[in-house]
Amino acid sequence: MTTRRIWINARLACEARLQQIETEGGKITAIGPDLSQAGAEVVDLGGRLVLPSFVDCHTHLVFGGDRTGEFEMRLEGADYQDIARAGGGIKASMRFTRERDVDQLVAEALPRLDALLAEGTSTIEIKSGYGLDIESELKMLRAAKRLAELRPFRLRTTWLAAHALPPEYAGDKAGYIREVAIAGLEAAQAEGLVDAVDGFCEGIAFSAEELEPLFARAGELGLPVKLHTEQLTRSGGTLMAARHGALSVDHFEYATEEDVAAIAASGTVAVLLPGAYYTLNEVQKPPVAALRAAGVPMALATDCNPGTSPLTSLLMTMNMGAVLWGMTVAECLDAVTTHGARALGLGDVTGRLAPGLSADFTVWDAERPAQLVGRIGLNPMHMRVFEGAVTHG
């Protein structure tokens, strides 16, 4: 028997009057100012701000080891590509990740996961991409699945074997895509480990042409795709991703008007990642104004990873989106709720407060969203509710 609850005195961002939220069976069943409380458990939210729980739609939360030495290298003048070509970056994480078993990966990821949950995040995407051989990539996704058994959140897993070329495939990108990225994807799907497929389209990784067979195979398997692209250079990956109806294109700093038009037509979300932009001290901003004008949904995500975005705060991510790129408070909030959910293909599941959607919401010691976006270093979360149950607070 499910519990029917009425959450009273909820301050919703779009309503002048305090509202009530009815939940039952893990879903929102009604929202209004005067719901019937007969037979229900009543929870008084005290006039606090209530928002949809956050969605972190792009993370590399599972990885082994520590790469803070690269932070010091960047302070001395090295850039992303210098570090990668010197054996750092993704390939350093590959060595650390291959050395660890699932239990070790889970233990290292839990503090990062807990930091996200403590700020009101209830849906998180976790990618593979640091194993770069079939078994190590599968091991990363098994660790992600274990995390979802240990903590209350909604997980979406992404196969990102096409993240970098490991040393054993030097000079043979086509062979790696065929023998690891595609063969491993088939194994991951057979094991029930994968929800989507991603790749890194960049000069230091793979070209759009090299990734095409992987995306074609994903389509044959019925899996949606997304793409890291236009981060460091204009790679042309956006046009390929749009042709495949990608859920999202991610980073997007060097995107052109043609790229914006392509994803506007394909219904693809632009996932912007200010943590990497900040950490790498980049100067090329994503085309926020062009995306806004074209009506392209913009999501924000932490891009939590060991090197270029060691970020575990969507509150800070929203602040960065506003301060660094001129996004409005409303855009930042939509970016980590409605549009973040859409970037994962979950727009009809979570990311909004509406009857029929999952009862995922967060209660804040605040009166308006600007108090979350405009502050730095303060977490005013009062309560996190996931699928109708209080998990924090």
Side-chain angles (χ1 to χ4, degrees):
M1 182 176 178
T2 61
T3 300
R4 175 173 169 264
R5 292 188 176 91
I6 304 292
W7 312 75
I8 65 172
N9 293 320
R11 186 180 302 277
L12 305 188
C14 58
E15 298 288 346
R17 293 179 60 188
L18 294 180
Q19 298 292 301
Q20 299 176 359
I21 303 171
E22 179 186 69
T23 63
E24 188 171 9
K27 295 185 180 297
I28 296 171
T29 50
I31 299 175
D34 298 298
L35 301 179
S36 171
Q37 298 178 17
E41 176 185 322
V42 176
V43 182
D44 189 350
L45 301 181
R48 295 178 177 86
L49 179 67
V50 178
L51 298 173
S53 289
F54 294 159
V55 178
D56 198 349
C57 65
H58 180 129
T59 87
H60 305 259
L61 198 74
V62 171
F63 58 82
D66 176 80
R67 282 168 44 198
T68 50
E70 295 175 14
F71 173 71
E72 295 177 295
M73 292 175 66
R74 283 192 292 272
L75 294 178
E76 295 169 0
D79 65 16
Y80 185 105
Q81 299 184 59
D82 294 333
I83 291 168
R85 291 183 177 123
I90 295 167
K91 292 178 183 177
S93 289
M94 175 200 73
R95 296 190 295 272
F96 298 138
T97 300
R98 287 182 177 183
E99 293 170 354
R100 285 157 171 78
D101 61 22
V102 169
D103 289 341
Q104 291 170 311
L105 291 173
V106 168
E108 292 185 24
L110 272 172
R112 298 187 283 269
L113 173 60
D114 287 340
L116 287 171
L117 301 184
E119 285 192 354
T121 304
S122 284
T123 300
I124 302 172
E125 184 250 25
I126 300 178
K127 303 178 190 291
S128 70
Y130 291 125
L132 306 184
D133 62 41
I134 291 177
E135 183 53 36
S136 297
E137 292 288 300
L138 294 173
K139 176 176 64 177
M140 292 182 68
L141 296 186
R142 292 178 190 129
K145 292 284 190 179
R146 180 83 60 80
L147 290 171
E149 296 171 358
L150 296 174
R151 296 290 189 271
F153 74 102
R154 181 177 296 100
L155 170 69
R156 283 297 178 267
T157 53
T158 298
W159 179 257
L160 181 58
H163 200 193
L165 191 69
E168 59 268 28
Y169 276 89
D172 187 15
K173 291 184 179 181
Y176 177 77
I177 293 294
R178 181 179 62 253
E179 297 168 12
V180 177
I182 293 176
L185 170 61
E186 294 166 346
Q189 191 195 43
E191 197 174 325
L193 292 175
V194 60
D195 297 309
V197 178
D198 197 351
F200 187 18
C201 188
E202 191 58 67
I204 59 173
F206 300 93
S207 69
E209 293 74 20
E210 289 161 344
L211 291 169
E212 177 68 39
L214 173 64
F215 275 28
R217 185 59 180 138
E220 292 168 354
L221 295 172
L223 292 168
V225 298
K226 54 185 70 178
L227 189 64
H228 292 60
T229 191
E230 327 305 352
Q231 179 188 8
L232 306 172
T233 60
R234 172 46 166 65
S235 68
T238 297
L239 301 182
M240 187 267 287
R243 287 197 302 273
H244 284 273
L247 288 173
S248 68
V249 288
D250 301 34
H251 288 289
F252 214 61
E253 284 91 331
Y254 283 84
T256 63
E257 291 182 4
E258 182 184 16
D259 297 323
V260 173
I263 62 171
S266 64
T268 298
V269 178
V271 176
L272 310 181
L273 304 170
Y277 176 91
Y278 171 86
T279 301
L280 296 175
N281 199 23
E282 292 287 347
V283 295
Q284 179 76 23
K285 298 181 180 182
V288 168
L291 291 166
R292 184 186 291 137
V296 173
M298 293 180 284
L300 290 167
T302 63
D303 189 21
C304 174
N305 72 59
T308 61
S309 187
L311 176 62
T312 53
S313 170
L314 278 175
L315 291 175
M316 187 67 204
T317 300
M318 286 195 291
N319 180 269
M320 288 178 169
V323 172
L324 298 176
W325 296 335
M327 295 175 68
T328 68
V329 168
E331 285 174 336
C332 289
L333 181 60
D334 284 345
V336 299
T337 55
T338 304
H339 297 161
R342 180 172 170 179
L344 297 179
L346 294 173
D348 59 350
V349 175
T350 191
R352 292 177 291 127
L353 299 179
L357 271 64
S358 184
D360 306 335
F361 55 87
T362 306
V363 183
W364 301 92
D365 286 318
E367 295 182 352
R368 49 199 176 90
Q371 293 172 317
L372 307 183
V373 178
R375 292 171 173 164
I376 297 174
L378 176 68
N379 176 12
M381 190 181 82
H382 177 77
M383 178 189 296
R384 183 175 79 101
V385 177
F386 176 59
E387 295 183 337
V390 176
T391 64
H392 290 67

